[in-house]
Amino acid sequence: MNLLVLGLQWGDEGKGKAIDFLAGNFNVVVRYQGGHNAGHTIYYKGKKVILHLLPSGIFTNNTISIIAQGVVINPIQLVKEIKNISLMGISTDKLIVSMNAPVILPFHQKLDIIFENSRYLKIGTTKRGIGPAYEDLVGRRAVFIRDLIDKDKFYKRVKPLNDYYSKLIRSYDGEEVSINSYIDEYLESGVFLKKHSKNTTYLLNELYMEGKSILFEGAQGVLLDVNQGTYPYVTSSNTCVGGVFTGTGLPHKAVEKVIGISKAYTTRVGEGPFPTELFEEESDFLREKGNEFGSTTGRPRRVGWLDLVALKYSVMINGVNSVFVTKLDIFDEFDEIKVVTDYEINGEQNQIFDPSIDYLNEVEPVFKSFPGWKKSICNVKTFDDLPEKTKYYIKFIENYIKTPVEYISVGTQREQTINR
Ligand code: IMP
């Protein structure tokens, strides 16, 4: 069965671990949107590894890992990641990269930083050039992986863009990037990536028709979707279910099941509305316990209670079949755990997550409190063996979102996962 794994919040839900746990059963694992703004943390043989571009299936023998054309690729970063993973003794022979994926160029990163510093609304981007690279795609001037192979072609495609953006960068008093400073490195990366590059649309459709099982690895989270998320505090791609089809070129029926990943609480990096956010000592405690520091940027994550109004919205707009709750063990020492069940606005309560910032900045969260279970659950292997109070918390969530919780993560290791 082909499975889509999506983050249901603002990213960092623990997709890396969930996908690594699930990937063993799949022939193919695909990344289809985003870029190296993602940071999927996996523990491999007890060692922490953070993947930014490589699909998490890379750790599983015989799995074909595909980076499809919806991903914006910084080829220098990708080559670095491939080399690092090879040094760990992991084979990258089954890695395929779309030759039609747009390339992130050095001026994209520069523009990301300039726009962030000059915008009246700061987004808090990862400053990796993701937004400007997608802007070039939509603006019909993108450069692709296939353009990295031939020097003349690359120069012809990139030079006008580089000149255009140099003017813009200078107008912000920035230092322009000369094409000569990066052309050789980019072409070398093209040579390195050549043996991995293919038309992944055809490849994926062939694999699909052969009946191979495919796992689609979403990056970021549903609430960061450029169309359905908390705009403008979003990323520049479609993190929702639709991104799979535009990003891979597979037909809609290729996704047979959607598993949504949600932390037992909520986090967010960057700016934007966050109705259940905690502050001061309460947030420090949760942040420390959950080790909530960005895996891509190292930034301390904003933390808060689980927002069931938001979760229900994410489940609804993606047709989520079941939920994988992560980091439940982080609550082991908590006296009290809360969730938000309603929003109050103008004296009335509702369960509507309208992603507009004007609305979300105004709503007052209505909390429900649960007593903590006050014992370690990190070695529990079955749902039945969890403390009654933990089971109650999980059952409350499923009742609210009307969707089963199929997996529960109680620690960082692959084995610390309860499959109901
Ligand atoms: P960008 O994707 O770098 O343009 O950043 C836009 C917004 O998405 C910022 O709030 C980032 O913090 C957030 N973001 C991007 N990638 C991730 C991720 O992998 N996890 C969590 N937040 C992310």
Side-chain angles (χ1 to χ4, degrees):
M1 173 172 311
N2 298 336
L3 179 68
L4 165 60
V5 176
L6 281 179
L8 295 179
Q9 298 164 309
W10 282 289
D12 308 316
E13 297 90 351
K15 292 180 293 293
K17 153 146 189 191
I19 289 162
D20 180 55
F21 177 80
L22 299 164
N25 303 321
F26 289 85
N27 303 125
V28 185
V29 178
V30 192
R31 274 280 311 266
Y32 55 88
Q33 49 71 228
H36 66 312
N37 47 352
H40 292 176
T41 305
I42 286 166
Y43 287 80
Y44 177 74
K45 295 188 177 162
K47 204 174 156 204
K48 183 174 173 179
V49 188
I50 300 172
L51 298 177
H52 298 286
L53 272 166
L54 292 176
S56 303
I58 202 85
F59 290 101
T60 312
N61 277 343
N62 297 322
T63 299
I64 303 172
S65 292
I66 297 181
I67 304 178
Q69 76 194 60
V71 177
V72 282
I73 298 179
N74 178 327
I76 310 299
Q77 166 69 30
L78 178 57
V79 169
K80 202 172 5 157
E81 228 172 287
I82 295 174
K83 287 184 175 166
N84 282 344
I85 211 94
S86 306
L87 283 176
M88 291 176 67
I90 294 159
S91 168
T92 54
D93 291 353
K94 292 203 157 68
L95 171 71
I96 309 290
V97 180
S98 171
M99 57 201 275
N100 296 325
V103 165
I104 299 181
L105 291 150
F107 49 78
H108 288 134
Q109 187 171 9
K110 195 127 219 179
L111 291 165
D112 202 353
I113 296 167
I114 286 177
F115 292 153
E116 267 299 270
N117 293 340
S118 61
R119 244 192 221 109
Y120 77 101
L121 281 176
K122 281 205 189 317
I123 307 294
T125 75
T126 59
K127 298 188 176 163
R128 299 291 192 270
I130 307 294
Y134 274 120
E135 280 179 44
D136 271 353
L137 177 69
V138 178
R140 292 155 297 178
R141 43 180 186 262
V143 175
F144 299 95
I145 289 287
R146 62 174 186 266
D147 299 324
L148 291 178
I149 311 165
D150 180 303
K151 186 165 187 170
D152 288 344
K153 202 159 108 185
F154 184 78
Y155 197 84
K156 243 192 236 154
R157 298 253 152 97
V158 178
K159 183 73 170 61
L161 266 185
N162 203 95
D163 288 348
Y164 170 72
Y165 285 124
S166 290
K167 276 192 212 139
L168 189 67
I169 291 168
R170 278 199 302 271
S171 76
Y172 280 97
D173 295 327
E175 204 180 316
E176 65 196 82
V177 200
S178 150
I179 185 168
N180 294 325
S181 69
Y182 60 85
I183 187 166
D184 289 340
E185 201 185 6
Y186 267 66
L187 290 167
E188 274 166 35
S189 73
V191 171
F192 185 93
L193 292 173
K194 199 168 172 197
K195 65 174 184 296
H196 295 286
S197 307
K198 272 209 173 107
N199 177 320
T200 54
T201 300
Y202 271 96
L203 174 66
L204 275 164
N205 275 280
E206 277 158 25
L207 293 165
Y208 169 58
M209 293 309 283
E210 281 168 21
K212 296 279 190 284
S213 57
I214 307 174
L215 186 146
F216 301 95
E217 175 174 6
Q220 291 84 45
V222 165
L223 303 178
L224 287 171
D225 184 280
V226 66
N227 292 108
Q228 301 294 340
T230 51
Y231 193 93
Y233 301 103
V234 291
T235 190
S236 301
S237 64
N238 282 120
T239 56
C240 280
V241 65
V244 175
F245 311 112
T246 50
T248 62
L250 277 165
H252 69 91
K253 56 191 176 189
V255 172
E256 293 163 315
K257 181 174 178 184
V258 183
I259 295 188
I261 317 292
S262 171
K263 270 182 192 157
Y265 48 95
T266 311
T267 62
R268 174 162 207 170
V269 272
E271 307 301 318
F274 185 172
T276 64
E277 184 166 13
L278 291 169
F279 298 96
E280 297 172 0
E281 290 106 66
E282 271 189 309
S283 71
D284 292 345
F285 187 65
L286 182 51
R287 185 177 302 108
E288 292 299 326
K289 287 276 161 221
N291 191 24
E292 295 298 348
F293 298 90
S295 49
T296 297
T297 58
R299 290 181 286 180
R301 294 179 183 140
R302 298 160 66 193
V303 296
W305 298 115
L306 183 63
D307 185 339
L308 289 177
V309 181
L311 192 65
K312 201 170 181 177
Y313 168 78
S314 296
V315 166
M316 173 181 80
I317 64 174
N318 290 287
V320 170
N321 300 102
S322 72
V323 174
F324 192 135
V325 172
T326 58
K327 293 193 136 178
L328 190 60
D329 56 303
I330 301 305
F331 285 149
D332 282 355
E333 291 166 29
F334 279 58
D335 296 324
E336 183 191 26
I337 297 158
K338 291 186 195 172
V339 297
V340 162
T341 56
D342 298 87
Y343 289 162
E344 188 169 314
I345 189 161
N346 302 326
E348 291 192 12
Q349 291 184 6
N350 69 43
Q351 298 185 351
I352 293 171
F353 186 88
D354 181 327
S356 93
I357 54 171
D358 296 335
Y359 173 76
L360 289 178
N361 284 336
E362 203 143 311
V363 296
E364 283 297 329
V366 180
F367 290 99
K368 174 173 169 58
S369 173
F370 297 81
W373 42 89
K374 305 287 282 178
K375 61 165 92 152
S376 170
I377 57 168
C378 66
N379 290 317
V380 176
K381 302 277 182 247
T382 65
F383 187 75
D384 286 345
D385 290 339
L386 283 170
E388 286 307 315
K389 286 175 180 154
T390 321
K391 285 194 256 189
Y392 181 69
Y393 180 69
I394 293 293
K395 283 181 180 165
F396 185 86
I397 295 172
E398 3 182 61
N399 273 337
Y400 187 99
I401 58 174
K402 302 210 168 18
T403 305
V405 171
E406 191 177 358
Y407 301 94
I408 300 166
S409 169
V410 292
T412 55
Q413 303 298 313
R414 206 185 264 186
E415 312 74 56
Q416 291 174 296
T417 311
I418 297 170
N419 179 356
R420 285 169 86 189

